[in-house]
Amino acid sequence: LEAMRHSHKIVEAIFLEAPAAADIGLRANVSRVDVDGSLVRAYVTNDADGVASAFAGRGARSARIIDRTLEDLFLAATTERTR
């Protein structure tokens, strides 16, 4: 879990308008994207800065990188092992 804590992050971005799913630009390191109006949360493994930059390039007003909770990391670890 310690290694995952450093690589698994959430990139949260706020757009002026709700982006279309195709405009978010999923990358290989994005495991999930949640869109709630103009708020987008991308669950990433590695290169959170790159995802934040991609959001900025698509017009995000702001973007921040958030650590995932221990529960979230545990669920991610068990999901990866069962694939």
Side-chain angles (χ1 to χ4, degrees):
L1 284 178
E2 186 62 28
M4 290 180 74
R5 189 173 69 83
H6 294 290
S7 63
H8 289 59
K9 303 286 184 180
I10 299 171
V11 179
E12 187 176 83
I14 298 174
F15 291 82
L16 287 174
E17 299 177 7
D23 293 338
I24 294 171
L26 289 178
R27 306 170 102 185
N29 62 330
V30 176
S31 61
R32 182 175 108 207
V33 174
D34 295 334
V35 179
D36 183 12
S38 61
L39 176 67
V40 175
R41 283 188 188 94
Y43 293 77
V44 303
T45 55
N46 300 314
D47 194 25
D49 290 326
V51 174
S53 293
F55 282 161
R58 287 177 170 74
R61 292 183 58 193
S62 67
R64 65 182 183 147
I65 299 169
I66 304 167
D67 291 331
R68 290 172 72 170
T69 65
L70 286 176
E71 178 184 5
D72 212 15
L73 291 172
F74 176 77
L75 291 173
T78 56
T79 301
E80 288 176 5
R81 287 186 190 143
T82 59
R83 287 184 185 174

